[in-house]
Amino acid sequence: MPIRTARPQKGRWWGALVALLVALVLTAAAPAADGPGETGLRFEAPGTFVMYNADEGAKAENGAFVLPVAVVPGNTGPARNIKVVVDASGLAGVARVSEGSGNNCTGGGWVWTCQYGTLDNDGESMPPFTLHGVDGTQPGDSGTVTYTASADNTASVTGTTRMIVGGPTLYGLEEPGKMTAVEPGKPVSLTPRFSNPSRFSTQRGIALRITAQGGLVLAARHRNCSYNPTFTDAWCTFPAKAAARTAYRTSSTLTFTAVPRELTGTLDYSWSSDPQRPAGLTVRGTGAPLTLTRTHEGGIHDATSTVTVVETTVQADYAALTGTVRGRVGDTVSVPLGVRGLGPGRPADERGRFEVIPPEGTTITSIPYTFEDTDGKWACARPKKPGGAFVCDLDSDVLWPGDDGTTSLVFRFRIDRQVPGAHGTVRTYNPYDRTPGNDTARIPLEASPAPPYRSAVRPAVLIPAVLAAVAVAAAGVTHRRRRRAVAVPGSSADGERSGG
């Protein structure tokens, strides 16, 4: 017997089709949900954080604590509407907290909530609060801050940071030092010193941070120091404890050298009683260790870092760049003037200036420049009194040296009259120029007489001529009017002649 299949009823078939189409449309229009494991969060906050130095007490204030939150690397989806809740109640007795410097964290007391928004494959940092010190704490006192990050589409994560009261503040020299006549390549020595004027001794050791800038390079490579690959940054540790109200210096000197062509540099060092090695200092020294020895405290206070300014024997020779004012009386001519840098060094900060005094018989009408599409008429400061100098500041934003070290501007001179032998002056200056013989140059004036047509239109000639012409024209008009009056028929003169 053949098997008979039941035919669906027309109404049921049509209803099923409509339901299927509606489901497909809704599925296409709905936003795709993040699947399990597509995104996740993590904290990148430090495990420990030094809040303040014990000797600061209630005067301490620190807003540097931030909470970095990032999407787990390799995740494909964003984390939406991230919120971080921070609980600082574990700091009771060792610190106080108040509103942070950011605008995305709100709260009060010990609990603060920060809105981080949506993150894709990156991270964001915010300061949840500002830390304040408490009187009576000791070095090493601590508390714990806990924080939880949550988002609309991922699991919450929690982290903690141990917040520590640091050791005493260590001070260096109050006044910056200065070294002059340092020869490039020749080692120069420096002895760092510090004092501990507080009632606390250092319990966690001592660290010295040294930073060389402006072409200075650290020459000594002590094995208790870590350096960056260019040996311009160092971090040295000392296990010795600095007693309260004492001062120390390094037992041997730090040596450094200046590289060729550099004019100046700085050597900055600071001391810390809470050693934490900075990132990037990966090269370990191999020489004899740097140690500490006790010394007199005089002059060591009130400065947490000490800066030594170094001036080398390198010069930046400037030569005046001049030109001739040449033309006829009445002309306005353009003359480039400025300074040519002959080196071997080039000033980076104090680039100096050049000054221009125009030749007698001329007037500077403008010193135009174009800067960021803005036209300007005066690129240099004008003199307050006649005969003074126009001063062009080489540190100005509108003046930049070319690749050959030349800086020049176009001066517009109007030639007012002939003055035989007249000349102006262009003079250069910078604090590193030790060759004064080429700092000044003349600006000669070579003026020719004005052409005849120009003489005719000068005000002294033109105005009297115009007045004379107007008088002649007026006299002619008056004469013609009188002649017309005589020639008109029927006038009294004609009547007299006809009556006779």
Side-chain angles (χ1 to χ4, degrees):
M1 175 181 291
I3 298 175
R4 300 179 63 183
T5 304
R7 296 176 62 186
Q9 296 181 4
K10 184 176 181 181
R12 292 180 179 178
W13 178 84
W14 180 253
L17 179 60
V18 170
L20 176 61
L21 291 175
V22 170
L24 290 174
V25 170
L26 291 176
T27 301
D34 296 320
E38 286 189 357
T39 190
L41 296 175
R42 68 173 183 176
F43 284 108
E44 297 178 345
T48 60
F49 182 83
V50 177
M51 297 182 290
Y52 59 93
N53 296 98
D55 57 294
E56 295 180 286
K59 296 182 296 182
E61 182 176 311
N62 188 353
F65 177 67
V66 296
L67 280 177
V69 178
V71 175
V72 174
N75 289 179
T76 58
R80 299 189 181 91
N81 300 321
I82 300 169
K83 179 178 67 174
V84 177
V85 178
V86 187
D87 185 350
S89 58
L91 300 181
V94 295
R96 297 174 293 109
V97 297
S98 65
E99 184 178 0
S101 58
N103 297 320
N104 296 325
C105 299
T106 58
W110 295 111
V111 180
W112 298 78
T113 300
C114 303
Q115 305 294 335
Y116 281 65
T118 296
L119 297 178
D120 291 314
N121 295 319
D122 52 4
E124 181 67 71
S125 295
M126 291 185 188
F129 43 64
T130 298
L131 292 158
H132 300 270
V134 173
D135 285 334
T137 55
Q138 299 288 320
D141 288 351
S142 64
T144 299
V145 171
T146 62
Y147 32 86
T148 301
S150 61
D152 290 350
N153 59 327
T154 188
S156 299
V157 293
T158 300
T160 61
T161 295
R162 183 172 174 241
M163 313 291 278
I164 303 173
V165 176
T169 305
L170 304 181
Y171 294 94
L173 295 172
E174 183 177 14
E175 297 295 332
K178 188 172 184 178
M179 294 184 177
T180 59
V182 173
E183 296 183 23
K186 184 177 180 180
V188 182
S189 298
L190 179 72
T191 303
R193 298 186 294 166
F194 76 89
S195 67
N196 174 19
S198 75
R199 60 187 178 90
F200 303 105
S201 63
T202 60
Q203 301 296 322
R204 303 177 61 209
I206 300 166
L208 169 64
R209 180 72 181 272
I210 311 150
T211 304
Q213 296 178 320
L216 302 183
V217 178
L218 299 172
R221 312 288 162 79
H222 304 283
R223 63 171 174 264
N224 60 325
C225 300
S226 299
Y227 302 83
N228 64 343
T230 58
F231 293 96
T232 56
D233 201 352
W235 181 79
C236 307
T237 57
F238 307 87
K241 295 180 180 179
R245 301 180 179 89
T246 56
Y248 296 82
R249 64 171 175 82
T250 56
S251 56
S252 58
T253 59
L254 292 174
T255 58
F256 63 93
T257 58
V259 301
R261 302 174 65 90
E262 290 292 337
L263 301 169
T264 63
T266 58
L267 199 69
D268 185 354
Y269 68 85
S270 59
W271 299 87
S272 172
S273 60
D274 297 287
Q276 296 183 21
R277 184 171 67 180
L281 306 184
T282 57
V283 181
R284 193 75 175 183
T286 58
L290 194 63
T291 59
L292 297 175
T293 184
R294 196 160 172 172
T295 186
H296 179 61
E297 188 181 354
I300 311 176
H301 55 83
D302 293 339
T304 55
S305 65
T306 300
V307 178
T308 298
V309 178
V310 177
E311 291 186 358
T312 71
T313 56
V314 178
Q315 75 154 335
D317 184 19
Y318 278 2
L321 180 66
T322 187
T324 300
V325 180
R326 182 181 292 110
R328 294 176 176 271
V329 172
D331 287 349
T332 297
V333 298
S334 298
V335 182
L337 302 173
V339 56
R340 180 178 291 112
L342 303 179
R346 290 191 182 184
D349 298 323
E350 298 180 61
R351 290 197 289 264
R353 65 182 184 272
F354 69 92
E355 302 175 355
V356 173
I357 297 177
E360 183 183 357
T362 68
T363 301
I364 296 177
T365 60
S366 68
I367 311 171
Y369 70 91
T370 302
F371 177 65
E372 293 183 351
D373 299 326
T374 301
D375 292 333
K377 185 177 181 181
W378 297 103
C380 303
R382 288 171 283 177
K384 296 180 179 180
K385 296 181 179 180
F390 291 78
V391 180
C392 304
D393 184 2
L394 296 175
D395 289 320
S396 169
D397 290 337
V398 302
L399 296 178
W400 290 97
D403 293 337
D404 61 350
T406 298
T407 303
S408 65
L409 290 168
V410 174
F411 283 69
R412 301 278 291 169
F413 290 88
R414 186 184 67 232
I415 303 175
D416 299 322
R417 66 186 188 278
Q418 287 182 282
V419 181
H423 66 270
T425 304
V426 54
R427 179 183 294 109
T428 70
Y429 169 80
N430 83 73
Y432 312 106
D433 187 345
R434 303 184 183 93
T435 308
N438 57 2
D439 293 350
T440 304
R442 289 187 172 192
I443 307 171
L445 171 62
E446 296 182 4
S448 302
Y453 72 86
R454 186 173 292 163
S455 299
V457 297
R458 283 188 304 168
V461 176
L462 183 60
I463 293 175
V466 170
L467 293 177
V470 170
V472 171
V477 170
T478 303
H479 178 69
R480 285 195 297 272
R481 286 177 177 173
R482 289 176 176 174
R483 292 189 62 184
R484 287 197 191 99
V486 171
V488 172
S491 65
S492 57
D494 291 338
E496 289 176 356
R497 284 195 297 267
S498 60

